[in-house]
Amino acid sequence: MYSMLDIENFSTSCQSHQQGKIKELPLLGAEVLQVHSPPFVTKESASSETQGHAPAFSRVQRRRSFIKKKKERAGIANGETAKGSDGGGGTTTEDISVPKDLDLIALPQLCFPGGLQIASEQREDSYHYLVFTDVFGNRTHAVVVQYYRPIQFFQDVGHQYVHRSSSKSSRLYTAYGICVISKYPYYNALRDCLSCLLTQLKPSRMGDFEERVKEFSAKLALVPIPPPGQLHVVFNLRPLQIGLPSREDKDRPAVDLDLHLPFLCFRPRQLLQIITSLLTEQRVVLLSCDWARLTLLAESLMLFIHPLVWQHPFVPILSRQMLDFLMAPTAYLMGCHLHHYEEVAAEVATETDDLILVNIDYGTVSSSWSDGIDLPDVPLAAAECFITRVEGLQVHYDLEVCHLGASTELNERRAQRKQWQRKLNAHIQNITLELIVIIFREVHDHLNYEHRVFNSEEFLRSREPADQPFYKKVLDTHIFHSFLRDRLNRKMDAFTRMELSTRTEAYRLRSMTESPRRPTMQELARKYTSPESRLSKRLGASLPNLGDSGGSLVGPLRQTSFKNIQVDSGMKSPQRPVRFFKLPEFPPPLAYHYVQNYYQEMITLLGKAISGAASEDSYLLARYHYLRGFVNTVAGKRLDALEDFQNLYKTDTDIFPGELVNALVDSLQEGEQALADRRPEIKRLISLVKRDHERERARHDDEGVKRFQLPKKHMQLEDFVRHVQESGIVKDQGTIHRLFEALTVGQQKQVDPEIFRVFYTFWKETEAEAQEVALPSSALEHLEANECVFKLSSSVKTSHGVGKIAMTQRRLFLLTEGRPGYMEVTKFRDIEEVKISSAPFLLLRIPSLKIKTTLRKETFEVNLKSEVDLWHLMVKEMWAGRKMADDHKDPQYMQQALTNALLMDAVVGCLQSQKAIFAATKLAHFDRMKLEVPLMIPKTTSETLKHKINPSLDLTSPQAVDVLLYTPGQLGVSSDSEGDGNPKLWCALSDGKVVVFDAASWSMQQNQVHVGTSRVNCMLGVDRQQVWIGSQDSVIYIISTCSMSCNKQLTDHRSEVTGLSLGERSEKYSPTVAYSCSAEGTVMVWDVSTLQVRKQFRVSCDRLQSVQLCNGTLWCCARDCIMEVWKNGMLHRKISLPEQLCGSPTAFSSLLLYHEREQLWTACIDVGELCVWHLREPTKPFQRIQLPDCAGVTCLIKVKNQIWVGGRGWSSEKSRGKIYVVDAQRHTVEKELVAHLDCVQTLCSAEDRYVLSGAAREDGKIAIWKVE
């Protein structure tokens, strides 16, 4: 690109330059000479070739300027005629294709940002990088090379070209720029491609220039982009071998630049300043003498703040003519040459707000108004961790290879360097992601997912005072708003994965209880120590021994500093080895039929790669199928492409290209549609894609994020529930309903906004006061690490001196005054009686609270004056909650009682009237339950029940526990390998939600893994790496136990999947098979390693419910019968309902095969008995076992020599969930267990040590039972 618009002035300047009058030649304006964009060949062009028209590449050189062409077209539109060179009246008909949205006016300025310079001597090639952003924020990337070619100039000739042999000529050089534009940021790869192109252009004649550039462009257009994951694409572009790295996952851009460059330019604290300026959306200007550094540094910074996304103008390179962009009134990140430093700092800053000037060459960060920089500091814990991590980086390649010999092969040496760079980039991304996680990890605690609300005030209040200026600025930015939207959408990205993997065990246990936020004793003890984020990992691999004590299930937790622990990668860990797919050699003449042959060769190579890959390596197979599907798409083989994309359901749905497949489906011709209808797998894919597309259109994931605001109007119950949930005070709807009753006592059933404001303010002030509680060291020694002070009285007189009464979730204690000390009053479980009495004081009687305990003879008395009624209610509620928690082995009762007590305190504080205490009694839920309906737990139940957990704690109301599955742990598995080695409990809730518990501590490991939106019917642990889940939507979802994500689906069933079973292995190395059944009677046999259907058949029945394998035959349980079926699908035997039940409206609910005794146990939905059959002769049951007070059975499991039966029955004249333990030998009921308020829906065994039961929605809890 160069300009010859003013030849006379140019001639004069050149003569003056030769005579020494001026030192530099003038700058010229560049213009676009050529534009090449795909498609380069089409089917129509191929047919034109066969008819004798022009070939794919013409050797006629066209030098027409695009800008002049544009002006001529404008002239024609105004009535002018563009004439040919012969002076005739014919208009030019040259067809010039320009890509959409490409601004050819601005492009020359960016290709030559410093201007087009004519040189008197040859200069080195120069590369720089560009980023274009459209109005929607979509970015396009480009690499530009400037190289110099000689031009002849004659002093006595005023026009363009004269023969080079003239003696009066002098040689000058002009720069040509070649710009390659891509949707993907392949900076290094495109730079290498341009380097290869220059080796061909430099020795070639100018007449071959256009053809060589066009051929180069067409070759690049044939290169497919690799799918997300560790499969890179490699191709030869002589003399170099070029590699295109893949994205780590679909949410990350490809990283094809050296991320350590910023660490070579800046110290860690300066990098933190730059990152802060981005997170707070400042106006940032990068400056450097090297144009290439600007874009590379800017792009690196964008990767450093991932997953936060910059929302403002992003222009890493501004040419001389574009400096006015710096006057923009919004935040931006722009870059310009260092020569403009003074101009930018002086002129731009006077017209606008302060600028952050980042001098890359000198490694400085400054303000345009002062030498200092007015930015808040990054939170201390995050900054210290980041600096420590960066100090351990090895960013010098020479130090890594100084022990190696010199490589004689260029491509080998390049590959070695790229491998080092990949590892370093991954390490840097991990460090910067960890920084973002530490800064924003606690945002999760202040989100309300149901109403999409972020409580920013509460979040700010919970920050350290020194960190609050940083968060105040960040919380109001667009970049943070977008981040919040992703969190509320429960996006499983790198941030979420790292945040989950680095949660402490204490945090997980705390999240198991819905208690108000207060600092624990452990936090108070280290309140003034250096704030470091600490991590903890449990390394146990088996179940805990659940003791009889009501204390914590987990012992003291090991605290580990961020500085000393190797944090798991936020990317999918462990890091897989990088694989390479090498493309075939490019065809020389790029005509249509050669391109089609090239695509076919690529498809063949991918087919061989798929055949050669191990069937178990679904990760690699998915990438090959994706790549082949993409090539089939561009080759016009739509049905083959759809078949490849269909295979992603069985290999890795994470990389499924939904938009591309939807476009493919819409583009099918009538003939292709008819062929697709005859191929079941493609027909199924089309229906799934259309269904998912409709769901996406109906979804509102992009709803805005609301900040919590106090209500301004009177609230009915529904609005009140919403506002309380948004405030973060409490989620449980039942508790909020009782609070509504308390705040509306004696008035119309609506809450005044002023009452709500006072209530909310009182609640928050109480929280703030708890943060400032100063306990003496003697108190800290007596309290447990996770205890919190929730209520502190004023100074009062007690039977043990003057002091303040403090209440934690476990006890009451006295903080004595004068000489500060600690005296325990009582633990709530030890209370025997609480009452109000009056103590004489002079002529008055002062009301006092008397507490009698089982551990002390004397009664503790405290003169609480006006607070006595409130403390009386609170202590009684805590006592009742503790009693219920101990009786039911359910710690959530205690947490609910604590919430009730604190709500009483807030209600009394906000009402300030005579009716306040009466209003507070509306919240005495457990005390009222204890008085009205004493819930006596049978002794057998109490002795057998060990613990209860609530999987619906993060939800606003209980959810039914539909299915439970226990998967054992692996001894000797370290935290660095796949998974943590601990056993897990998988719990399926309503609407496809699966909650995962760490069964070594019963803490929640994953609060929600979504498997569709329908009810889960069954789960199966297939091996150590995967769990299969059968859903009502007819899909089998496969969850990876390592990544805890659902990335595979089996979509072959046509109705809801009702049962899963693992096949018997005849030999040690024989393939594992699994069986699945669906409601309409279809049974499928799966090869677990390949996820292919080996065989399928159909049985005739009324709703097939489950399948089990026994001694080579398959037992199928349906509502109306039980069938024994051979493996080929032939019916062997059929068992109908017992005669005595044939006339009743009942059905089989479950079966159990007792292999050792050759028995079959069956149960029915609405009948309280079990039937035992002989497997050899199952004509009628030989034993019927009556279950006392049982109204129906839902599930059966065998544990040791016992049969555990789950169902519903009657207890104290109320319907309850019941469990019966039956002796398998004597056929007698040994135990009758009552611990659920609703029907028991599922049972599972944990290593024959515990049985876990899950109940329906009215209860929604999981009970853990001891097996004897």
Side-chain angles (χ1 to χ4, degrees):
M1 303 176 188
Y2 61 95
S3 172
M4 286 172 261
L5 300 179
D6 192 347
I7 295 298
E8 291 186 3
N9 291 338
F10 177 62
S11 170
T12 304
S13 298
C14 289
Q15 294 176 25
S16 300
H17 174 73
Q18 290 176 347
Q19 296 169 8
K21 294 180 181 179
I22 58 174
K23 293 184 178 181
E24 291 188 1
L25 291 168
L27 294 177
L28 300 181
E31 55 182 45
V32 180
L33 298 179
Q34 304 171 26
V35 173
H36 305 292
S37 64
F40 292 95
V41 290
T42 61
K43 199 168 186 179
E44 290 74 17
S45 68
S47 61
S48 299
E49 290 177 31
T50 59
Q51 297 172 15
H53 289 80
F57 292 103
S58 170
R59 291 193 173 271
V60 178
Q61 176 69 15
R62 293 183 296 180
R63 301 282 304 278
R64 190 173 184 82
S65 164
F66 276 78
I67 296 176
K68 290 181 181 179
K69 181 75 175 176
K70 200 169 186 180
K71 292 178 180 177
E72 289 176 6
R73 285 178 176 170
I76 294 171
N78 292 327
E80 300 175 7
T81 303
K83 304 206 173 180
S85 57
D86 57 356
T91 60
T92 181
T93 59
E94 183 181 8
D95 181 25
I96 301 176
S97 172
V98 179
K100 184 182 177 183
D101 300 329
L102 184 59
D103 185 359
L104 295 180
I105 304 296
L107 186 61
Q109 298 178 21
L110 293 172
C111 290
F112 296 93
L116 179 60
Q117 179 77 52
I118 301 297
S120 58
E121 58 183 16
Q122 183 74 36
R123 294 186 179 180
E124 290 185 350
D125 306 334
S126 174
Y127 294 82
H128 65 274
Y129 312 92
L130 303 174
V131 180
F132 311 104
T133 309
D134 65 16
V135 292
F136 301 107
N138 301 312
R139 291 178 187 164
T140 307
H141 312 268
V143 180
V144 180
V145 60
Q146 296 179 19
Y147 82 104
Y148 283 78
R149 294 184 69 98
I151 58 171
Q152 290 292 94
F153 174 75
F154 297 90
Q155 298 175 5
D156 56 349
V157 180
H159 51 273
Q160 297 182 18
Y161 291 107
V162 178
H163 197 271
R164 290 174 178 263
S165 60
S166 172
S167 59
K168 295 183 180 180
S169 67
S170 61
R171 175 164 292 192
L172 296 176
Y173 298 85
T174 186
Y176 281 78
I178 301 175
C179 176
V180 180
I181 301 174
S182 171
K183 288 168 58 180
Y184 304 94
Y186 286 118
Y187 295 116
N188 287 341
L190 293 178
R191 180 199 61 197
D192 293 345
C193 291
L194 285 172
S195 300
C196 295
L197 174 63
L198 289 189
T199 61
Q200 301 177 31
L201 290 182
K202 287 180 178 180
S204 65
R205 294 181 299 109
M206 199 65 200
D208 297 330
F209 183 89
E210 180 178 2
E211 182 178 350
R212 290 189 182 277
V213 173
K214 187 172 183 179
E215 184 175 350
F216 167 79
S217 305
K219 285 181 179 180
L220 291 188
L222 294 177
V223 178
I225 300 300
Q230 298 296 328
L231 179 65
H232 297 190
V233 168
V234 176
F235 57 94
N236 277 328
L237 200 63
R238 294 184 180 87
L240 298 180
Q241 183 169 280
I242 313 295
L244 292 186
S246 59
R247 294 173 288 166
E248 187 65 37
D249 56 52
K250 62 183 178 182
D251 297 316
R252 284 175 174 260
V255 180
D256 191 31
L257 69 165
D258 300 344
L259 288 182
H260 67 287
L261 294 180
F263 297 94
L264 297 176
C265 300
F266 301 98
R267 293 189 298 274
R269 291 195 182 277
Q270 292 171 319
L271 275 177
L272 286 174
Q273 287 182 326
I274 300 172
I275 290 172
T276 300
S277 66
L278 295 177
L279 295 180
T280 56
E281 293 186 345
Q282 303 296 316
R283 298 147 53 81
V284 183
V285 182
L286 306 179
L287 299 110
S288 175
C289 290
D290 188 334
W291 296 107
R293 291 179 194 168
L294 293 172
T295 302
L296 295 179
L297 266 291
E299 285 282 32
S300 296
L301 293 172
M302 294 297 99
L303 292 169
F304 289 173
I305 64 172
H306 183 85
L308 283 82
V309 180
W310 182 253
Q311 307 283 321
H312 296 281
F314 180 73
V315 189
I317 289 182
L318 292 173
S319 66
R320 293 180 302 112
Q321 300 91 332
M322 297 177 177
L323 289 180
D324 286 347
F325 287 9
L326 296 175
M327 297 291 188
T330 182
Y332 55 69
L333 176 60
M334 299 188 187
C336 64
H337 200 280
L338 190 59
H339 290 161
H340 306 297
Y341 183 92
E342 298 296 335
E343 179 184 352
V344 170
E347 297 182 16
V348 177
T350 56
E351 299 292 332
T352 61
D353 296 332
D354 197 10
L355 299 181
I356 304 298
L357 303 177
V358 180
N359 190 326
I360 298 172
D361 297 350
Y362 291 89
T364 61
V365 182
S366 60
S367 166
S368 59
W369 280 4
S370 62
D371 294 335
I373 182 168
D374 184 21
L375 284 176
D377 292 331
V378 169
L380 183 59
E384 288 186 350
C385 177
F386 178 79
I387 292 170
T388 304
R389 289 278 196 258
V390 171
E391 288 171 353
L393 276 177
Q394 178 55 268
V395 296
H396 299 286
Y397 178 65
D398 290 343
L399 293 177
E400 291 289 321
V401 298
C402 59
H403 65 287
L404 300 177
S407 174
T408 58
E409 175 61 39
L410 172 62
N411 284 323
E412 180 183 336
R413 189 162 63 248
R414 281 166 44 82
Q416 186 181 34
R417 176 66 167 77
K418 286 182 179 179
Q419 183 181 5
W420 174 83
Q421 189 65 57
R422 273 198 306 272
K423 291 181 179 178
L424 181 59
N425 283 354
H427 194 183
I428 291 172
Q429 284 181 279
N430 204 40
I431 290 173
T432 55
L433 177 61
E434 184 182 17
L435 172 71
I436 300 299
V437 168
I438 297 173
I439 292 174
F440 297 114
R441 75 178 313 143
E442 293 182 21
V443 165
H444 168 272
D445 298 334
H446 302 270
L447 292 175
N448 181 280
Y449 293 92
E450 290 75 24
H451 305 293
R452 301 184 66 82
V453 170
F454 173 61
N455 197 327
S456 55
E457 291 183 6
E458 174 66 20
F459 176 76
L460 270 177
R461 194 178 290 116
S462 65
R463 302 301 90 202
E464 293 288 336
D467 298 337
Q468 288 185 7
F470 172 86
Y471 286 106
K472 283 179 181 177
K473 284 201 170 186
V474 170
L475 296 193
D476 290 330
T477 61
H478 291 84
I479 191 173
F480 181 73
H481 184 87
S482 177
F483 171 79
L484 280 181
R485 190 166 59 246
D486 287 340
R487 298 316 106 200
L488 286 170
N489 291 340
R490 299 184 184 274
K491 188 174 183 179
M492 183 56 70
D493 55 10
F495 177 93
T496 306
R497 287 193 291 272
M498 178 176 275
E499 193 275 326
L500 286 172
S501 67
T502 56
R503 283 183 178 178
T504 64
E505 194 67 33
Y507 178 90
R508 291 177 183 173
L509 288 171
R510 188 165 64 248
S511 67
M512 292 287 293
T513 56
E514 187 184 12
S515 59
R517 299 183 185 94
R518 299 292 189 275
T520 65
M521 295 303 107
Q522 193 173 38
E523 291 166 344
L524 287 175
R526 58 184 181 183
K527 185 172 181 179
Y528 301 105
T529 62
S530 173
E532 280 184 2
S533 300
R534 292 171 169 85
L535 302 179
S536 171
K537 287 274 188 177
R538 285 185 60 87
L539 301 179
S542 62
L543 285 167
N545 290 311
L546 297 179
D548 292 333
S549 67
S552 173
L553 294 175
V554 183
L557 299 175
R558 206 163 34 120
Q559 296 298 331
T560 311
S561 168
F562 255 122
K563 295 180 179 180
N564 301 322
I565 192 166
Q566 189 65 37
V567 177
D568 297 336
S569 172
M571 308 160 219
K572 293 192 175 178
S573 56
Q575 287 293 304
R576 299 173 182 271
V578 175
R579 303 292 186 91
F580 299 93
F581 176 71
K582 189 173 182 180
L583 302 183
E585 294 294 331
F586 291 115
L590 297 183
Y592 176 79
H593 66 282
Y594 284 107
V595 170
Q596 290 300 309
N597 291 340
Y598 178 77
Y599 287 147
Q600 186 56 51
E601 187 179 359
M602 207 185 309
I603 291 169
T604 303
L605 287 176
L606 285 166
K608 291 179 180 178
I610 291 170
S611 302
S615 57
E616 300 84 11
D617 195 353
S618 59
Y619 183 90
L620 184 60
L621 284 172
R623 272 75 199 160
Y624 285 143
H625 279 296
Y626 180 103
L627 208 51
R628 192 172 68 176
F630 183 77
V631 177
N632 274 320
T633 300
V634 296
K637 300 181 178 181
R638 297 183 185 88
L639 295 183
D640 291 343
L642 289 175
E643 186 174 357
D644 276 315
F645 293 134
Q646 161 69 19
N647 278 302
L648 295 180
Y649 278 104
K650 295 182 180 179
T651 49
D652 193 349
T653 55
D654 283 349
I655 64 171
F656 186 82
E659 292 183 7
L660 173 60
V661 175
N662 194 58
L664 267 177
V665 170
D666 291 340
S667 67
L668 290 178
Q669 305 296 323
E670 288 186 10
E672 292 173 323
Q673 188 68 56
L675 290 173
D677 291 339
R678 292 199 290 268
R679 296 168 69 171
E681 68 283 355
I682 295 182
K683 185 178 180 181
R684 173 70 169 167
L685 173 65
I686 292 173
S687 65
L688 286 173
V689 167
K690 289 182 177 179
R691 183 195 68 183
D692 292 343
H693 183 62
E694 290 300 320
R695 284 180 180 173
E696 283 296 321
R697 293 177 60 182
R699 286 174 61 183
H700 300 284
D701 277 358
D702 287 333
E703 292 179 17
V705 180
K706 296 182 291 185
R707 297 290 177 91
F708 172 69
Q709 292 182 339
L710 291 170
K712 298 178 181 178
K713 298 187 296 185
H714 284 75
M715 290 163 285
Q716 302 290 339
L717 177 59
E718 184 178 350
D719 290 335
F720 180 76
V721 169
R722 178 172 60 83
H723 278 98
V724 173
Q725 289 176 342
E726 288 181 0
S727 72
I729 293 175
V730 65
K731 287 184 180 179
D732 180 64
Q733 289 186 0
T735 304
I736 300 174
H737 287 183
R738 291 189 288 273
L739 177 60
F740 181 80
E741 291 295 323
L743 292 177
T744 56
V745 163
Q747 64 183 48
Q748 189 178 0
K749 292 302 179 182
Q750 60 180 13
V751 176
D752 186 277
E754 179 62 19
I755 290 291
F756 190 96
R757 184 193 67 79
V758 175
F759 169 81
Y760 178 78
T761 304
F762 188 91
W763 179 274
K764 293 304 175 184
E765 287 176 351
T766 305
E767 280 190 351
E769 289 171 4
Q771 299 288 337
E772 302 303 322
V773 170
L775 297 179
S777 57
S778 57
L780 294 175
E781 292 172 359
H782 287 86
L783 301 177
E784 296 184 22
N786 61 347
E787 277 190 86
C788 309
V789 174
F790 289 92
K791 177 72 174 172
L792 191 66
S793 75
S794 57
S795 183
V796 294
K797 182 181 178 182
T798 75
S799 55
H800 288 77
V802 177
K804 295 181 178 180
I805 301 297
M807 183 184 81
T808 74
Q809 67 265 48
R810 288 191 174 86
R811 74 192 83 211
L812 295 171
F813 63 89
L814 174 65
L815 290 173
T816 57
E817 292 187 353
R819 184 180 179 183
Y822 167 90
M823 193 208 84
E824 182 167 309
V825 176
T826 181
K827 291 185 174 68
F828 290 114
R829 64 161 48 94
D830 299 328
I831 293 178
E832 195 172 86
E833 184 184 20
V834 179
K835 64 179 182 179
I836 297 177
S837 66
S838 57
F841 180 74
L842 298 177
L843 299 177
L844 302 174
R845 298 191 68 83
I846 306 298
S848 65
L849 185 68
K850 288 188 175 181
I851 302 174
K852 186 177 181 181
T853 71
T854 58
L855 301 180
R856 190 179 289 124
K857 290 183 179 180
E858 68 274 13
T859 300
F860 180 84
E861 186 173 1
V862 52
N863 298 332
L864 286 161
K865 304 174 187 175
S866 61
E867 294 182 274
V868 67
D869 291 320
L870 173 60
W871 276 89
H872 181 238
L873 284 176
M874 293 173 66
V875 173
K876 285 179 67 178
E877 181 70 5
M878 295 293 287
W879 175 26
R882 181 74 268 173
K883 182 78 167 58
M884 289 193 65
D886 289 346
D887 289 347
H888 292 264
K889 310 294 176 66
D890 187 350
Q892 193 189 359
Y893 284 122
M894 192 65 224
Q895 301 300 328
Q896 288 176 332
L898 175 61
T899 300
N900 293 341
L902 295 176
L903 290 174
M904 291 176 192
D905 185 29
V907 166
V908 172
C910 80
L911 293 181
Q912 293 289 333
S913 64
Q914 293 181 350
K915 65 179 181 181
I917 295 298
F918 177 70
T921 60
K922 300 292 184 181
L923 292 158
H925 178 58
F926 294 116
D927 188 42
R928 190 183 307 112
M929 287 178 64
K930 185 178 71 171
L931 295 174
E932 294 176 357
V933 186
L935 292 179
M936 298 299 296
I937 303 298
K939 182 179 179 182
T940 304
T941 299
S942 180
E943 291 175 347
T944 311
L945 179 64
K946 303 310 296 178
H947 190 55
K948 271 191 178 181
I949 50 181
N950 182 11
S952 303
L953 192 65
D954 200 36
L955 306 173
T956 57
S957 59
Q959 302 287 308
V961 180
D962 292 326
V963 189
L964 290 173
L965 173 69
Y966 172 84
T967 55
Q970 303 176 60
L971 290 170
V973 175
S974 69
S975 60
D976 295 333
S977 60
E978 296 192 14
D980 57 7
N982 285 357
K984 295 178 178 62
L985 175 65
W986 305 74
C987 172
L989 302 178
S990 307
D991 303 325
K993 293 186 288 286
V994 177
V995 178
V996 186
F997 294 89
D998 182 341
S1001 61
W1002 303 117
S1003 61
M1004 191 178 292
Q1005 181 169 339
Q1006 192 92 353
N1007 58 352
Q1008 280 188 29
V1009 179
H1010 284 274
V1011 286
T1013 57
S1014 301
R1015 183 184 190 273
V1016 170
N1017 288 328
C1018 50
M1019 292 196 288
L1020 176 68
V1022 174
D1023 53 31
R1024 301 286 188 184
Q1025 280 75 42
Q1026 53 185 342
V1027 169
W1028 289 23
I1029 297 177
S1031 173
Q1032 229 173 24
D1033 62 7
S1034 76
V1035 177
I1036 299 174
Y1037 297 91
I1038 300 179
I1039 294 181
S1040 166
T1041 58
C1042 304
S1043 64
M1044 302 302 289
S1045 61
C1046 176
N1047 62 348
K1048 297 177 187 176
Q1049 298 177 20
L1050 306 180
T1051 59
D1052 299 67
H1053 280 287
R1054 296 296 175 266
S1055 66
E1056 62 175 298
V1057 179
T1058 53
L1060 292 166
S1061 181
L1062 205 58
E1064 301 167 332
R1065 297 183 69 172
S1066 55
E1067 298 178 4
K1068 182 178 180 180
Y1069 298 105
S1070 59
T1072 305
V1073 297
Y1075 293 83
S1076 64
C1077 66
S1078 50
E1080 91 289 4
T1082 299
V1083 178
M1084 293 188 179
V1085 186
W1086 300 89
D1087 187 318
V1088 171
S1089 61
T1090 62
L1091 300 182
Q1092 299 296 324
V1093 178
R1094 282 187 164 193
K1095 188 186 304 178
Q1096 72 177 66
F1097 53 87
R1098 185 167 180 173
V1099 295
S1100 178
C1101 60
D1102 174 20
R1103 186 177 172 81
L1104 183 56
Q1105 300 179 114
S1106 65
V1107 290
Q1108 292 184 39
L1109 199 66
C1110 178
N1111 298 327
T1113 59
L1114 203 62
W1115 289 82
C1116 305
C1117 177
R1119 286 175 55 86
D1120 59 340
C1121 64
I1122 291 172
M1123 294 163 286
E1124 184 183 12
V1125 180
W1126 298 111
K1127 288 185 178 180
N1128 60 5
M1130 295 293 292
L1131 179 64
H1132 178 44
R1133 288 182 289 188
K1134 184 175 182 178
I1135 302 172
S1136 300
L1137 284 167
E1139 294 179 2
Q1140 69 275 13
L1141 301 178
C1142 286
S1144 61
T1146 189
F1148 284 116
S1149 61
S1150 56
L1151 68 82
L1152 174 69
L1153 292 163
Y1154 197 158
H1155 307 271
E1156 295 83 358
R1157 291 182 165 273
E1158 296 187 349
Q1159 292 175 359
L1160 171 68
W1161 293 56
T1162 62
C1164 294
I1165 296 173
D1166 299 317
V1167 179
E1169 72 172 21
L1170 303 178
C1171 294
V1172 188
W1173 315 66
H1174 280 303
L1175 285 179
R1176 294 181 180 177
E1177 192 178 346
T1179 54
K1180 65 177 182 178
F1182 73 89
Q1183 183 73 45
R1184 293 167 57 195
I1185 304 171
Q1186 295 297 322
L1187 304 175
D1189 297 323
C1190 181
V1193 176
T1194 54
C1195 48
L1196 301 170
I1197 64 167
K1198 175 184 170 295
V1199 185
K1200 295 183 178 177
N1201 291 322
Q1202 299 172 338
I1203 306 298
W1204 286 60
V1205 184
R1208 67 185 188 282
W1210 299 94
S1211 177
S1212 301
E1213 299 182 353
K1214 287 194 174 184
S1215 178
R1216 292 281 188 263
K1218 277 198 169 186
I1219 297 173
Y1220 300 88
V1221 182
V1222 180
D1223 188 302
Q1225 296 180 357
R1226 297 194 295 269
H1227 298 161
T1228 57
V1229 177
E1230 290 185 337
K1231 294 181 181 179
E1232 182 180 346
L1233 308 175
V1234 184
H1236 290 291
L1237 300 177
D1238 205 346
C1239 175
V1240 175
Q1241 295 204 137
T1242 177
L1243 294 169
C1244 77
S1245 170
E1247 301 177 6
D1248 280 355
R1249 293 173 60 192
Y1250 300 102
V1251 167
L1252 300 106
S1253 60
R1257 183 166 188 167
E1258 290 299 317
D1259 182 275
K1261 293 184 178 179
I1262 300 170
I1264 305 171
W1265 307 87
K1266 180 176 65 176
V1267 176
E1268 296 176 349

